[in-house]
Amino acid sequence: MTAPLPHPLRKGPPSQSEAIDVIAPGGMPYHMSDPWEIGEALSRLAESGDPVTIYPVDGAAAVMARIFSVDEEAPRFVIELNEGAFLPPGGATFVAWTRSAKLQFALSSGWVGQPGQPHLLASPFPSLCLALERRESARLETPLGMHYLAAFVLEGRPYELQLYDFSIGGVGMRAPPRDTVGLYVGRKLARVRLELGLDNVMLADLEIRLSRSFRSFLLGEQVQVGCRFLNLTPAARAELSAMLAQLELRRRAR
């Protein structure tokens, strides 16, 4: 495992007054299942030293902790409990704020104390994280095995990228680095054809707001491109809202 490098400005032990409530029923969190996306969120928590609230399933009092280190290749992370704190055996729910989103995930009893450091507990990544963002629109991950693509032409060159999430505010795309040349933050994309499922197609103008490289276990090197909609018409907005609601209903029914 990669040797942890504690953040130079690491904060002191979090207090109970910093405890964070779980995501309330009725919320519409974004579902993260890509291990590299989960690893990035955990790494941000490790770097910031922000508190993590742990709720044991047996109803015991909440336990305060931080993320000490993250190994995205393993993939594993280390939880740092407050001095003298104890995490009872059994499952638990973890809640934290990362950037502008509340992050929540559940783990069964899979954490292992480090030799001579019982306050450091190692665990594999969760298979699923919920992220409830402080934003006006909910973001939903596109279903696996379905046809979700963005196609457009830029300076005479055709592009076709896979959509991995979308919301009423924008879309997230990804592709190998060779297929994203020229897609930099601030660039505007005109008349992008969005294929959202089997029979849902819409044209939209987009502006690139995020571009970052990451590595996927299944796809290898990838570039994530986050875009916001420009000049979305009321009719298109209504159509997109209906598709989001339909997708969320299908997801909840599973």
Side-chain angles (χ1 to χ4, degrees):
M1 182 172 179
T2 304
L5 296 175
H7 193 278
L9 300 179
R10 177 168 292 278
K11 306 168 185 177
S15 66
Q16 291 294 138
S17 65
E18 297 179 272
I20 304 166
D21 294 333
V22 298
I23 295 175
M28 294 183 65
Y30 162 52
H31 291 64
M32 294 193 306
S33 57
D34 189 304
W36 287 94
E37 190 172 10
I38 292 172
E40 184 184 59
L42 293 174
S43 295
R44 287 199 298 267
L45 284 173
E47 291 170 1
S48 67
D50 288 329
V52 177
T53 308
I54 308 175
Y55 292 95
V57 294
D58 63 3
V63 177
M64 301 305 296
R66 301 195 191 281
I67 303 299
F68 183 73
S69 64
V70 178
D71 185 344
E72 296 189 31
E73 295 183 2
R76 295 175 68 83
F77 70 107
V78 175
I79 309 159
E80 181 183 13
L81 302 179
N82 282 355
E83 192 69 30
F86 171 71
L87 189 59
T93 298
F94 297 69
V95 190
W97 278 109
T98 171
R99 291 186 180 173
S100 61
K102 180 182 285 189
L103 185 72
Q104 179 175 309
F105 58 88
L107 290 174
S108 60
S109 183
W111 39 85
V112 179
Q114 302 300 286
Q117 297 177 301
H119 65 294
L120 296 181
L121 305 177
S123 170
F125 281 10
S127 59
L128 176 70
C129 282
L130 306 180
L132 184 65
E133 299 188 347
R134 288 172 173 160
R135 56 192 289 169
E136 296 178 355
S137 54
R139 180 173 56 154
L140 293 180
E141 193 175 43
T142 56
L144 295 175
M146 295 189 69
H147 196 67
Y148 284 77
L149 292 174
F152 54 94
V153 176
L154 183 63
E155 296 182 348
R157 173 178 174 175
Y159 290 80
E160 187 173 280
L161 286 74
Q162 179 184 359
L163 291 176
Y164 65 87
D165 69 35
F166 66 102
S167 74
I168 201 68
V171 298
M173 308 181 286
R174 63 184 169 200
R178 67 177 180 275
D179 295 336
T180 61
V181 175
L183 302 183
Y184 52 78
V185 173
R187 190 142 208 185
K188 294 178 173 59
L189 310 176
R191 296 185 59 80
V192 179
R193 178 184 171 89
L194 300 174
E195 300 182 11
L196 305 172
L198 297 177
D199 302 311
N200 298 312
V201 176
M202 63 180 292
L203 293 177
D205 295 336
L206 302 174
E207 180 184 13
I208 300 175
R209 305 290 290 176
L210 175 148
S211 178
R212 73 171 183 94
S213 299
F214 71 100
R215 183 173 181 81
S216 166
F217 288 118
L218 296 178
L219 304 175
E221 292 293 335
Q222 295 282 294
V223 176
Q224 175 187 0
V225 181
C227 301
R228 70 179 180 93
F229 288 118
L230 296 175
N231 307 316
L232 200 63
T233 66
R237 181 177 291 271
E239 180 185 1
L240 192 56
S241 295
M243 285 188 283
L244 281 164
Q246 186 180 46
L247 179 59
E248 179 61 18
L249 285 175
R250 288 201 301 265
R251 192 189 303 280
R252 290 177 183 271
R254 288 205 298 264

